[in-house]
PDB file of all heavy atoms in Angstrom:
ATOM      1  N   GLN U  60      36.105  49.406  47.177  1.00 96.00           N
ATOM      2  CA  GLN U  60      34.847  50.156  47.072  1.00 96.00           C
ATOM      3  C   GLN U  60      33.739  49.232  46.586  1.00 96.00           C
ATOM      4  O   GLN U  60      33.377  48.297  47.311  1.00 96.00           O
ATOM      5  CB  GLN U  60      35.048  51.380  46.177  1.00 96.00           C
ATOM      6  CG  GLN U  60      36.076  52.351  46.731  1.00 96.00           C
ATOM      7  CD  GLN U  60      36.249  53.605  45.900  1.00 96.00           C
ATOM      8  OE1 GLN U  60      35.858  53.691  44.748  1.00 96.00           O
ATOM      9  NE2 GLN U  60      36.844  54.620  46.494  1.00 96.00           N
ATOM     10  N   ARG U  61      33.179  49.453  45.410  1.00 97.00           N
ATOM     11  CA  ARG U  61      32.043  48.631  44.948  1.00 97.00           C
ATOM     12  C   ARG U  61      32.478  47.344  44.249  1.00 97.00           C
ATOM     13  O   ARG U  61      31.633  46.549  43.816  1.00 97.00           O
ATOM     14  CB  ARG U  61      31.184  49.449  43.985  1.00 97.00           C
ATOM     15  CG  ARG U  61      30.523  50.671  44.603  1.00 97.00           C
ATOM     16  CD  ARG U  61      29.578  51.333  43.609  1.00 97.00           C
ATOM     17  NE  ARG U  61      30.282  51.839  42.426  1.00 97.00           N
ATOM     18  CZ  ARG U  61      30.175  51.316  41.218  1.00 97.00           C
ATOM     19  NH1 ARG U  61      29.419  50.229  41.007  1.00 97.00           N
ATOM     20  NH2 ARG U  61      30.819  51.841  40.192  1.00 97.00           N
ATOM     21  N   ILE U  62      33.765  47.135  44.130  1.00 98.00           N
ATOM     22  CA  ILE U  62      34.269  45.976  43.385  1.00 98.00           C
ATOM     23  C   ILE U  62      34.976  45.021  44.329  1.00 98.00           C
ATOM     24  O   ILE U  62      35.729  45.466  45.209  1.00 98.00           O
ATOM     25  CB  ILE U  62      35.252  46.437  42.282  1.00 98.00           C
ATOM     26  CG1 ILE U  62      34.506  47.278  41.250  1.00 98.00           C
ATOM     27  CG2 ILE U  62      35.921  45.255  41.614  1.00 98.00           C
ATOM     28  CD1 ILE U  62      35.419  47.901  40.223  1.00 98.00           C
ATOM     29  N   ALA U  63      34.726  43.738  44.158  1.00 97.00           N
ATOM     30  CA  ALA U  63      35.404  42.726  44.960  1.00 97.00           C
ATOM     31  C   ALA U  63      35.744  41.540  44.073  1.00 97.00           C
ATOM     32  O   ALA U  63      35.061  41.280  43.072  1.00 97.00           O
ATOM     33  CB  ALA U  63      34.535  42.283  46.124  1.00 97.00           C
ATOM     34  N   VAL U  64      36.797  40.852  44.432  1.00 97.00           N
ATOM     35  CA  VAL U  64      37.171  39.628  43.733  1.00 97.00           C
ATOM     36  C   VAL U  64      37.389  38.534  44.769  1.00 97.00           C
ATOM     37  O   VAL U  64      37.938  38.789  45.843  1.00 97.00           O
ATOM     38  CB  VAL U  64      38.427  39.835  42.859  1.00 97.00           C
ATOM     39  CG1 VAL U  64      39.599  40.312  43.687  1.00 97.00           C
ATOM     40  CG2 VAL U  64      38.771  38.582  42.089  1.00 97.00           C
ATOM     41  N   THR U  65      36.897  37.326  44.455  1.00 97.00           N
ATOM     42  CA  THR U  65      37.105  36.177  45.326  1.00 97.00           C
ATOM     43  C   THR U  65      37.857  35.109  44.553  1.00 97.00           C
ATOM     44  O   THR U  65      37.725  35.000  43.326  1.00 97.00           O
ATOM     45  CB  THR U  65      35.772  35.608  45.822  1.00 97.00           C
ATOM     46  OG1 THR U  65      34.955  35.243  44.690  1.00 97.00           O
ATOM     47  CG2 THR U  65      35.013  36.632  46.654  1.00 97.00           C
ATOM     48  N   LEU U  66      38.633  34.323  45.256  1.00 96.00           N
ATOM     49  CA  LEU U  66      39.442  33.275  44.644  1.00 96.00           C
ATOM     50  C   LEU U  66      39.287  31.988  45.429  1.00 96.00           C
ATOM     51  O   LEU U  66      39.426  31.980  46.652  1.00 96.00           O
ATOM     52  CB  LEU U  66      40.913  33.698  44.612  1.00 96.00           C
ATOM     53  CG  LEU U  66      41.931  32.635  44.195  1.00 96.00           C
ATOM     54  CD1 LEU U  66      41.729  32.228  42.739  1.00 96.00           C
ATOM     55  CD2 LEU U  66      43.348  33.136  44.427  1.00 96.00           C
ATOM     56  N   ASN U  67      39.001  30.911  44.716  1.00 95.00           N
ATOM     57  CA  ASN U  67      38.964  29.573  45.299  1.00 95.00           C
ATOM     58  C   ASN U  67      40.034  28.747  44.596  1.00 95.00           C
ATOM     59  O   ASN U  67      39.822  28.242  43.491  1.00 95.00           O
ATOM     60  CB  ASN U  67      37.570  28.953  45.127  1.00 95.00           C
ATOM     61  CG  ASN U  67      37.452  27.586  45.792  1.00 95.00           C
ATOM     62  OD1 ASN U  67      38.415  26.822  45.848  1.00 95.00           O
ATOM     63  ND2 ASN U  67      36.284  27.274  46.291  1.00 95.00           N
ATOM     64  N   LYS U  68      41.195  28.621  45.207  1.00 93.00           N
ATOM     65  CA  LYS U  68      42.310  27.920  44.569  1.00 93.00           C
ATOM     66  C   LYS U  68      42.033  26.436  44.396  1.00 93.00           C
ATOM     67  O   LYS U  68      42.444  25.826  43.408  1.00 93.00           O
ATOM     68  CB  LYS U  68      43.586  28.100  45.397  1.00 93.00           C
ATOM     69  CG  LYS U  68      44.290  29.416  45.205  1.00 93.00           C
ATOM     70  CD  LYS U  68      45.650  29.388  45.855  1.00 93.00           C
ATOM     71  CE  LYS U  68      46.581  28.382  45.197  1.00 93.00           C
ATOM     72  NZ  LYS U  68      47.918  28.370  45.833  1.00 93.00           N
ATOM     73  N   THR U  69      41.335  25.860  45.351  1.00 93.00           N
ATOM     74  CA  THR U  69      41.056  24.425  45.270  1.00 93.00           C
ATOM     75  C   THR U  69      40.204  24.107  44.046  1.00 93.00           C
ATOM     76  O   THR U  69      40.474  23.158  43.313  1.00 93.00           O
ATOM     77  CB  THR U  69      40.341  23.952  46.545  1.00 93.00           C
ATOM     78  OG1 THR U  69      41.155  24.277  47.677  1.00 93.00           O
ATOM     79  CG2 THR U  69      40.078  22.458  46.495  1.00 93.00           C
ATOM     80  N   ALA U  70      39.193  24.922  43.832  1.00 94.00           N
ATOM     81  CA  ALA U  70      38.289  24.712  42.697  1.00 94.00           C
ATOM     82  C   ALA U  70      38.804  25.383  41.435  1.00 94.00           C
ATOM     83  O   ALA U  70      38.221  25.206  40.359  1.00 94.00           O
ATOM     84  CB  ALA U  70      36.896  25.239  43.044  1.00 94.00           C
ATOM     85  N   LYS U  71      39.857  26.180  41.524  1.00 95.00           N
ATOM     86  CA  LYS U  71      40.429  26.913  40.401  1.00 95.00           C
ATOM     87  C   LYS U  71      39.396  27.830  39.767  1.00 95.00           C
ATOM     88  O   LYS U  71      39.205  27.829  38.531  1.00 95.00           O
ATOM     89  CB  LYS U  71      41.013  25.955  39.360  1.00 95.00           C
ATOM     90  CG  LYS U  71      42.220  25.170  39.838  1.00 95.00           C
ATOM     91  CD  LYS U  71      42.778  24.318  38.712  1.00 95.00           C
ATOM     92  CE  LYS U  71      43.775  23.324  39.232  1.00 95.00           C
ATOM     93  NZ  LYS U  71      44.126  22.330  38.198  1.00 95.00           N
ATOM     94  N   HIS U  72      38.729  28.592  40.599  1.00 95.00           N
ATOM     95  CA  HIS U  72      37.876  29.610  40.019  1.00 95.00           C
ATOM     96  C   HIS U  72      37.916  30.903  40.830  1.00 95.00           C
ATOM     97  O   HIS U  72      38.245  30.913  42.015  1.00 95.00           O
ATOM     98  CB  HIS U  72      36.446  29.128  39.758  1.00 95.00           C
ATOM     99  CG  HIS U  72      35.653  28.745  40.966  1.00 95.00           C
ATOM    100  ND1 HIS U  72      35.197  29.643  41.903  1.00 95.00           N
ATOM    101  CD2 HIS U  72      35.182  27.537  41.352  1.00 95.00           C
ATOM    102  CE1 HIS U  72      34.504  29.009  42.820  1.00 95.00           C
ATOM    103  NE2 HIS U  72      34.486  27.734  42.520  1.00 95.00           N
ATOM    104  N   PHE U  73      37.646  32.001  40.138  1.00 97.00           N
ATOM    105  CA  PHE U  73      37.638  33.314  40.762  1.00 97.00           C
ATOM    106  C   PHE U  73      36.519  34.147  40.141  1.00 97.00           C
ATOM    107  O   PHE U  73      36.089  33.873  39.010  1.00 97.00           O
ATOM    108  CB  PHE U  73      38.999  34.009  40.644  1.00 97.00           C
ATOM    109  CG  PHE U  73      39.554  34.165  39.256  1.00 97.00           C
ATOM    110  CD1 PHE U  73      39.698  35.419  38.685  1.00 97.00           C
ATOM    111  CD2 PHE U  73      39.976  33.065  38.512  1.00 97.00           C
ATOM    112  CE1 PHE U  73      40.226  35.571  37.414  1.00 97.00           C
ATOM    113  CE2 PHE U  73      40.502  33.209  37.241  1.00 97.00           C
ATOM    114  CZ  PHE U  73      40.629  34.462  36.694  1.00 97.00           C
TER     115      PHE U  73
END
Side-chain angles (χ1 to χ4, degrees):
Chain U
Q60 298 183 343
R61 296 186 297 110
I62 295 173
V64 58
T65 58
L66 171 66
N67 183 327
K68 280 191 65 179
T69 303
K71 294 184 192 169
H72 64 70
F73 56 113

